[in-house]
């Protein structure tokens, strides 16, 4: 459907969309985002059962075949020549006092399907202006590729709109450069954010921050780095603001713009964390250097939508034998027969997921002579999925996948790799000084993207004010009672 509607926009040719029941509003959002009426005359909704496999009842398709042929041969849309940006009016909410007004505002947000369902901080003009001091870009500047369109609805991610989302999430001005970079990563065409934002899969972006900015903003890289943590509030605010942008600008609202069957707790704040660069073994490079070839100490981030996360126990390392046990614990979780590994050639050529390795595990492994490349090679080799498991869990889908472009890497009857080459596996050192546990975050439906974080001229003054407001940056040795 996404490809068909893209052709409409470019060529103005006849087309039609055949969808399963429940997706009408998702398709309407997509059409509206391209400037067409949401009530598209050539969208045909059919029962879910019709799409479930061989032997299903195709009579609804036969009964509507004339309409489908009409859409494919005669109907032609009027392609918009100009894009009109509509800036909504400011809203005023009254109450008997400030708290009463805040309550009414939150009730209004729920009625209008704004936000994420939890109470939000009022994005007043004063607060938004304060957030905007965190960037040198003009408030009307569009963020990201594709004209800043956040799909499926196609709302525009301007700097001001990004700041509004950060204000709603209780953010601060110094968080804005990271949020802008995250939006740039999401809107990078390689991220294919339309697919993972609208899919039935329960996806959410993981954002890995590298560089000095991580410590400056108190983005957690240690104990509890995936949250929650009151000493490191930046990740939660930035992550929640990302969700506001996806929902309020892109209309990724359950049953309307996203069909994620389960959603998930991680969708509220996504996963925004930093790499523990102080804990990286001396012989290893940080993620942004080894994977993206950025200079060391550069302020960058990686955006990678994932679909599930699992704690990996038994990763204590004290000798060669325990190192192998630890790495086999990771590879054991990685080699699940997960269909998305091979669903599309671009996914098979990309990252299969993120391995989070605590500094204790990483340092012991490195001290035993393992390079990061050695670890990637081991995990890749030992996460091949036995053919019997492939056949048992994926059945006929295996034959279809084998015919795709990645066929040169996979062969019927032999174990299948979860990605085309070892270096695709993302390894990030994070999670505290000890070992014993790791984390595996499995891919969703796109490739990882990266973006550089641009700091404003007033950066130092923003950090000084943050220290006044939040107190000194906590050191790893500080643990409140």
């Amino acid at each position: 459907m996404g490809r068909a509607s893209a052709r409409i926009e470019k060529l103005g040719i006849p087309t039609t969309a055949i969808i399963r029941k429940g997706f009408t509003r998702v398709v309407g959002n997509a059409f509206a985002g391209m400037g067409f009426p949401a009530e598209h005359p050539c969208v045909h909704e059919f029962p879910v059962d019709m799409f479930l496999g061989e032997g299903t009842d195709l009579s609804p398709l036969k009964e509507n075949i004339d309409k489908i042929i009409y859409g494919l041969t005669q109907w032609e849309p009027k392609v918009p020549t100009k894009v009109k940006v509509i800036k909504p009016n400011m809203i005023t909410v009254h109450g008997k006092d400030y708290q009463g007004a805040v309550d009414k505002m939150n009730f209004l947000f729920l009625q209008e399907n704004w936000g994420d369902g939890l109470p939000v901080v009022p994005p007043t003009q004063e607060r938004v202006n304060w957030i905007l001091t965190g960037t040198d870009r003009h408030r009307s500047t569009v963020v990201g590729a594709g004209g800043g369109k956040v799909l499926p609805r196609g709302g525009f991610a301007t700097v001001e709109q990004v700041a509004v989302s950060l204000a709603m999430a209780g953010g601060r001005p110094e968080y804005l450069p990271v949020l802008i970079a995250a939006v740039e990563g999401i809107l990078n065409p390689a991220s294919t954010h339309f697919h993972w934002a609208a899919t039935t899969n329960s996806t959410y972006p993981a954002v890995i921050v590298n560089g000095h900015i991580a410590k400056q903003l108190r983005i957690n890289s240690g104990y509890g780095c995936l949250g929650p943590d009151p000493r490191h509030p930046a990740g939660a605010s930035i992550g929640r603001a990302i969700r506001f942008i996806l929902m309020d600008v892109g209309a990724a609202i359950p049953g309307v713009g996203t069909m994620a069957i389960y959603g998930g707790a991680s969708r509220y704040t996504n996963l925004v964390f930093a790499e523990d660069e102080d804990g990286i073994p001396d012989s290893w490079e940080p993620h942004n250097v080894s994977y993206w070839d950025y200079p060391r100490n550069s302020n960058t981030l990686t955006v990678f939508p994932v679909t599930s996360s699992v704690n990996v126990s038994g990763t204590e390392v004290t000798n060669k034998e325990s190192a192998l046990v630890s790495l086999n614990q990771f590879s054991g979780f990685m080699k699940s027969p997960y269909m998305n590994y091979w669903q599309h050639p671009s996914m098979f050529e990309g990252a299969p997921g993120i391995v989070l390795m605590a500094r204790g595990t990483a340092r012991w492994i490195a001290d035993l002579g393992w390079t990061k490349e050695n670890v990637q090679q081991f995990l890749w080799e030992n996460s091949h999925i036995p053919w019997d498991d492939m056949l048992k869990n994926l059945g006929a889908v295996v034959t279809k996948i084998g015919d795709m472009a990645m066929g040169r890497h996979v062969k019927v009857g032999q174990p299948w790799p979860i990605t085309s080459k070892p270096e695709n596996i993302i390894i990030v050192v994070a999670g505290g000084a000890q070992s014993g546990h790791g984390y595996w975050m499995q891919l969703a439906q796109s490739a990882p993207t990266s973006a550089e974080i641009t700091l404003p001229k007033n950066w130092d003054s923003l950090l000084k004010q943050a220290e006044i407001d939040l107190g000194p940056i906590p050191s790893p040795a500080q643990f409140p009672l």
Side-chain angles (χ1 to χ4, degrees), residues 29-235:
N29 254 327
F31 279 121
M34 295 178 182
F36 301 107
E39 300 299 324
H40 194 288
C42 290
V43 174
H44 306 291
E45 183 182 75
F46 292 94
V48 174
D49 292 348
M50 201 183 81
F51 296 84
L52 295 183
E54 298 179 6
T56 55
D57 181 12
L58 299 180
S59 57
L61 185 62
K62 295 177 182 178
E63 293 167 3
N64 289 275
I65 193 66
D66 290 340
K67 297 177 183 178
I68 296 171
I69 292 174
Y70 166 77
L72 290 172
T73 59
Q74 299 182 48
W75 182 82
E76 186 171 350
K78 295 179 180 179
V79 181
T81 57
K82 292 184 179 180
V83 176
K84 184 179 180 181
V85 179
I86 301 174
K87 186 174 181 179
N89 297 324
M90 293 289 292
I91 295 174
T92 301
V93 180
H94 298 280
K96 63 179 181 180
D97 53 23
Y98 180 78
Q99 186 58 52
V102 170
D103 289 342
K104 282 191 174 182
M105 182 212 73
N106 275 289
F107 297 153
L108 175 64
F109 273 40
L110 293 175
Q111 294 168 17
E112 297 291 340
N113 289 327
W114 297 336
D116 57 7
L118 293 174
V120 302
V121 176
T124 62
Q125 188 68 64
E126 181 181 20
R127 180 173 287 274
V128 172
N129 288 341
W130 174 59
I131 296 290
L132 285 169
T133 62
T135 181
D136 293 331
R137 304 190 196 189
H138 191 272
R139 65 200 310 147
S140 63
T141 303
V142 173
V143 177
K149 291 175 68 175
V150 184
L151 300 174
R153 181 169 60 192
F156 293 94
T158 63
V159 170
E160 182 175 41
Q161 182 60 61
V162 172
V164 168
S165 298
L166 187 55
M168 290 167 57
R172 298 179 52 83
E174 63 270 20
Y175 301 170
L176 188 56
V178 175
L179 180 57
I180 288 174
V183 173
E184 290 174 337
I186 290 169
L187 298 188
N188 184 322
S191 179
T192 60
H193 80 280
F194 169 79
H195 296 287
W196 57 259
T199 179
T200 51
N201 206 341
S202 297
T203 60
Y204 47 90
V207 179
I208 308 162
V209 181
N210 282 97
H212 296 306
I213 194 170
K215 283 186 178 180
Q216 293 172 331
L217 295 189
R218 309 158 196 249
I219 299 176
N220 198 356
S221 65
Y223 294 106
C225 62
L226 303 183
D229 183 358
R231 297 179 306 148
H232 300 89

Side-chain angles (χ1 to χ4, degrees), residues 154-475:
F156 293 94
T158 63
V159 170
E160 182 175 41
Q161 182 60 61
V162 172
V164 168
S165 298
L166 187 55
M168 290 167 57
R172 298 179 52 83
E174 63 270 20
Y175 301 170
L176 188 56
V178 175
L179 180 57
I180 288 174
V183 173
E184 290 174 337
I186 290 169
L187 298 188
N188 184 322
S191 179
T192 60
H193 80 280
F194 169 79
H195 296 287
W196 57 259
T199 179
T200 51
N201 206 341
S202 297
T203 60
Y204 47 90
V207 179
I208 308 162
V209 181
N210 282 97
H212 296 306
I213 194 170
K215 283 186 178 180
Q216 293 172 331
L217 295 189
R218 309 158 196 249
I219 299 176
N220 198 356
S221 65
Y223 294 106
C225 62
L226 303 183
D229 183 358
R231 297 179 306 148
H232 300 89
S237 290
I238 294 168
R240 194 179 181 202
I242 291 173
R243 182 55 51 188
F244 288 150
I245 292 167
L246 294 173
M247 296 185 75
D248 296 338
V249 185
I253 301 167
V256 177
T258 176
M259 297 299 290
I261 293 174
Y262 296 110
S266 293
R267 281 195 162 203
Y268 279 102
T269 58
N270 305 299
L271 297 177
V272 180
F273 62 98
E275 182 159 31
D276 177 15
E277 297 196 24
D278 290 341
I280 296 174
D282 293 338
S283 58
W284 292 18
E285 294 285 6
H287 160 70
N288 62 339
V289 177
S290 63
Y291 197 89
W292 298 110
D293 202 28
Y294 283 113
R296 252 188 180 268
N297 299 318
S298 56
N299 292 322
T300 66
L301 58 74
T302 296
V303 176
F304 187 38
V306 297
T307 189
S308 62
S309 301
V310 62
N311 185 82
V312 181
S313 299
T315 61
E316 301 91 345
V317 179
T318 55
N319 52 38
K320 291 182 179 179
E321 291 74 21
S322 59
L324 291 176
V325 169
S326 175
L327 293 176
N328 276 312
Q329 288 291 331
F330 279 108
S331 63
F333 281 98
M334 294 167 67
K335 64 178 181 180
S336 62
Y338 183 57
M339 192 180 301
N340 276 1
Y341 285 144
W342 310 279
Q343 201 169 50
H344 192 276
S346 64
M347 296 168 68
F348 187 68
E349 295 293 343
I354 303 170
V355 171
L356 291 189
M357 192 174 289
R359 67 162 67 179
T361 303
R363 284 182 170 180
W364 268 102
I365 288 177
D367 288 345
L368 290 168
W370 292 76
T371 64
K372 183 184 278 191
E373 292 73 23
N374 293 152
V375 174
Q376 289 172 315
Q377 182 71 34
F378 182 94
L379 294 176
W380 184 76
E381 291 177 355
N382 288 275
S383 61
H384 280 47
I385 301 172
W387 173 250
D388 287 345
D389 288 347
M390 291 291 301
L391 199 59
K392 179 173 61 178
N393 288 277
L394 298 181
V397 178
V398 170
T399 304
K400 177 182 177 182
I401 294 173
D403 292 337
M404 291 184 176
M406 72 282 286
R408 64 184 183 276
H409 297 287
V410 299
K411 295 181 180 179
V412 172
Q414 296 184 7
W416 282 18
I418 62 174
T419 184
S420 62
K421 51 186 181 290
E423 53 265 39
N424 288 344
I425 298 172
I426 295 176
I427 297 177
V428 177
V429 177
Q434 300 183 51
S435 57
H437 295 274
Y439 225 63
W440 167 241
M441 292 187 273
Q442 204 164 41
L443 92 162
Q445 293 176 294
S446 69
T449 58
S450 69
E452 296 186 66
I453 301 169
T454 303
L455 305 182
K457 296 175 182 177
N458 63 338
W459 185 244
D460 289 340
S461 64
L462 291 176
L463 295 182
K464 288 180 181 178
Q465 185 60 48
E467 189 157 343
I468 293 172
D469 295 342
L470 304 177
I473 295 175
S475 69

